[in-house]
Amino acid sequence: MNPLLRRLKDSVPVGMQFFTGDHTLIEVLGRTGFDYVWLDSEHCATNPRALEDTIRTADGVGLISLVRIPEPDDTTAARRALEAGAHGLIVPMVRSAVDIQHILDATTYPPDGRRGICPAYRAAGYSLRSFGQHAQDSDADLLVIPLIETLDALENIEEICAIEQVRVLCFAAGELAFAMGEGARMHSSPKIKEAHAKVNAAAARHNVALMGGPILNPTHDSCAKALEDGIRVFCLGIDVMAFRGVCEKTITALNSAVAESAYTRPPAPESGFPDHY
């Protein structure tokens, strides 16, 4: 069974998005109780060679590796992520079940798919002898996680959830808010709340787990609310934004102390976060 799905059977998995791919930070992530790392290749410059070494680091600290590919039709990136050892694929900008089926066809071995046969890569153990078992296990454990962030995906949510390999999906409120003309109101827009309820209901009907949660500022109350809203796989934090948050709080703390002294400091730049998030 796919390790993320196995963890889901008796736990609530939690992970973080990584844009830097920094190996030291990934080791810290694995040593502090996280279950998976979301490795991004849509919005950053992660290349196949770097991805393989990054997944090695994640494996070393017991983290499940999920890779967001650059585009829904980038089957080469999907295949290379699995060959590097990824445990699941996150697919952005999904429009319909056709996008998912296209990825599945490219990442499933013949006769059911058209994935190329080659034992000379990491996930296959560089072994001819065990390649048949690897191919069988890879097909059985294949996990594709669609990002529901387009109007088309929202319209086609039932058929997306009905795909056997879609056992987890992520409601991407930010992208969808802009698509709906709501701008940055992803947390307050009634349209987004209605869309989230629609996706939640479809996922529940098809026994698909929702990925999400208060990604930028998790608290006890916000995590509890996410559980009430149906979140089963938590994604809490983005490495670069988490670091920005630490930097802002550090400068704020110092400036407040200096303001009460005989010394001065220049004012802090405007926060990169909204007043309420």
Side-chain angles (χ1 to χ4, degrees), residues 13-218:
V14 60
M16 181 182 289
Q17 292 187 37
F18 262 67
F19 282 48
T20 65
D22 186 271
H23 291 195
T24 300
L25 295 182
I26 288 173
E27 286 188 321
V28 172
L29 196 74
R31 294 178 187 277
T32 52
F34 282 77
D35 300 289
Y36 73 87
V37 57
W38 167 325
L39 301 171
D40 196 87
S41 63
E42 180 188 15
H43 295 297
C44 63
T46 302
N47 60 54
R49 177 61 65 190
L51 183 62
E52 184 171 301
D53 288 339
T54 303
I55 292 175
R56 282 192 177 99
T57 299
D59 286 349
V61 289
L63 285 170
I64 298 164
S65 295
L66 306 177
V67 175
R68 174 159 64 178
I69 62 175
E71 301 284 347
D73 58 354
D74 195 339
T75 57
T76 298
R79 173 177 49 78
R80 284 178 170 173
L82 294 178
E83 290 174 353
H87 299 103
L89 302 171
I90 297 172
V91 185
M93 304 304 291
V94 169
R95 300 175 297 274
S96 70
V98 173
D99 289 330
I100 300 301
Q101 292 292 356
H102 187 55
I103 291 291
L104 292 173
D105 186 43
T107 54
T108 301
Y109 289 107
D112 297 321
R114 56 184 179 86
R115 181 175 176 179
I117 302 298
C118 178
Y121 54 76
R122 181 173 183 262
Y126 316 104
S127 170
L128 284 166
R129 184 183 296 275
S130 62
F131 185 80
Q133 186 63 52
H134 159 73
Q136 180 178 328
D137 293 342
S138 178
D139 287 353
D141 293 343
L142 186 56
L143 175 65
V144 175
I145 302 174
L147 285 178
I148 307 303
E149 55 186 350
T150 68
L151 295 177
D152 287 339
L154 188 60
E155 180 69 23
N156 298 313
I157 189 62
E158 290 288 346
E159 66 178 41
I160 292 171
C161 288
I163 298 173
E164 179 183 356
Q165 291 86 350
V166 175
R167 301 272 53 92
V168 179
L169 63 76
C170 182
F171 180 77
E175 192 82 38
L176 196 56
F178 276 85
M180 288 181 162
E182 297 294 284
R185 297 177 61 225
M186 66 278 297
H187 300 301
S188 60
S189 165
K191 291 182 180 179
I192 294 300
K193 293 178 180 178
E194 181 180 350
H196 187 273
K198 180 178 180 179
V199 171
N200 196 351
R205 281 191 291 272
H206 295 276
N207 195 29
V208 174
L210 283 181
M211 172 187 283
I215 186 169
L216 291 180
N217 187 28

